[in-house]
Amino acid sequence: MSTGNSSRLIDTLRYEGPWIALWKALVRLLSPLAGIEALILLEKSLSDPIEARPAKVAIDVDIASEDDLEAIVALRFKPVPPEPKVPQSYAEGAIAAALQADRSAALAERAYALTVERERMRRGGKCFVARIDGEIVHHNWLFFDWGIAANPRSFFVLREGEVLPDFAFTVPAWRGKAIHEAVQAEMLCYARQAGHRWAYSLSQLENVRSRKGLHRIGYRVRGRFLLVRPRLPRREFPIRLSGRLDPLVFFR
């Protein structure tokens, strides 16, 4: 076993437990035949007041404006490579061409992500952000409409009074500070005050630490299922293990 694999195994055992380590090993074993993802659908009633969940660091939480979207997108990407210098030789020209290709790809990826974020905001989504000393370190979207994609082959079809917090991201340097939990509580309080009565969340089985935070906020398990993606034929189908899966809708 390589050093990198050993380190990942130790982290899994330390933070997620032996059962998750066994599950990941099984997924890797079956990966030549099919991709398998274990997911847990969570729900929370918003009928009672939402208890604040303070982060372990001082943060300011607010709703982002369109002017914040470029900074929000930048959180998830490495810095764009600088414009390469004008080459002075054939060898330098080849290097400059490769650097320019990397730069163009990075810019195109960011431009696409920014388009997606603007579309989410245009459709009425609210992006909650946490700032430390004025700098955005976390974002999480809150959706109210019916067509939010859980992945390319399934959608959350939200009914009136239902909301979906999704697409959260925390800057790696600030993870483990309960920032996601604090922002999530703020989002649910906002949704409750706006008259909504139920919230949903979708969690991967191995995302144990994040799910513990959701349970502390008051989320409960609604259903468990597998998403199976056979290599041949290339398609995807769910296997319900327990509970209910609505408002998720699957397309074959």
Side-chain angles (χ1 to χ4, degrees):
M1 183 182 294
S2 68
T3 303
N5 288 338
S6 298
S7 178
R8 285 193 293 272
L9 177 59
I10 291 171
D11 285 345
T12 299
L13 289 170
R14 179 180 178 184
Y15 295 113
E16 298 161 353
W19 291 112
I20 301 299
L22 287 172
W23 168 252
K24 287 184 174 181
L26 178 62
V27 169
R28 285 195 296 271
L29 181 65
L30 296 176
S31 61
L33 301 176
I36 303 175
E37 189 175 7
L39 295 163
I40 300 172
L41 179 62
L42 303 162
E43 65 179 358
K44 174 172 173 55
S45 170
L46 304 181
S47 58
D48 296 325
I50 309 299
E51 180 182 351
R53 304 294 303 182
K56 298 177 182 178
V57 291
I59 60 173
D60 296 310
V61 180
D62 58 40
I63 299 176
S65 69
E66 189 168 354
D67 292 338
D68 293 314
L69 291 182
E70 289 194 16
I72 289 168
V73 167
L75 297 182
R76 306 194 302 270
F77 296 94
K78 296 179 181 179
V80 175
E83 190 78 38
K85 297 179 180 179
V86 177
Q88 302 298 318
S89 66
Y90 176 82
E92 289 181 357
I95 294 173
L99 292 174
Q100 186 60 50
D102 288 343
R103 174 179 169 81
S104 298
L107 288 171
E109 192 174 26
R110 285 193 180 212
Y112 174 75
L114 184 58
T115 299
V116 171
E117 302 290 75
R118 284 177 174 155
E119 177 63 14
R120 288 172 179 166
M121 190 169 284
R122 186 193 67 80
R123 292 181 60 186
K126 303 291 185 183
C127 186
F128 285 68
V129 295
R131 304 177 198 263
I132 296 178
D133 295 330
E135 181 180 350
I136 297 174
V137 299
H138 171 89
H139 71 74
N140 198 350
W141 282 89
L142 183 64
F143 299 106
F144 311 90
D145 63 7
W146 64 269
I148 303 303
N151 60 60
R153 300 294 294 173
S154 60
F155 286 81
F156 276 94
V157 181
L158 299 176
R159 294 154 292 206
E160 185 178 356
E162 297 178 336
V163 297
L164 174 70
D166 204 359
F167 302 109
F169 181 84
T170 305
V171 173
W174 293 103
R175 292 175 185 173
K177 306 295 184 183
I179 294 175
H180 178 213
E181 191 175 333
V183 173
Q184 179 93 193
E186 292 265 2
M187 297 168 71
L188 297 181
C189 184
Y190 174 91
R192 181 177 183 274
Q193 290 175 352
H196 299 279
R197 62 183 186 273
W198 284 99
Y200 299 100
S201 185
L202 194 61
S203 175
Q204 293 180 320
L205 175 66
E206 56 265 33
N207 202 354
V208 176
R209 284 182 289 180
S210 175
R211 193 162 56 254
K212 285 181 178 178
L214 293 177
H215 284 311
R216 285 192 292 268
I217 295 171
Y219 278 92
R220 296 293 178 263
V221 174
R222 182 175 177 87
R224 297 179 175 88
F225 64 101
L226 299 178
L227 274 183
V228 182
R229 305 178 182 92
R231 303 305 181 195
L232 291 174
R234 289 186 173 275
R235 65 190 191 95
E236 174 183 278
F237 59 91
I239 299 177
R240 185 175 67 86
L241 302 177
S242 65
R244 297 171 55 183
L245 303 186
D246 60 299
L248 272 172
V249 174
F250 300 92
F251 300 90
R252 300 202 175 183

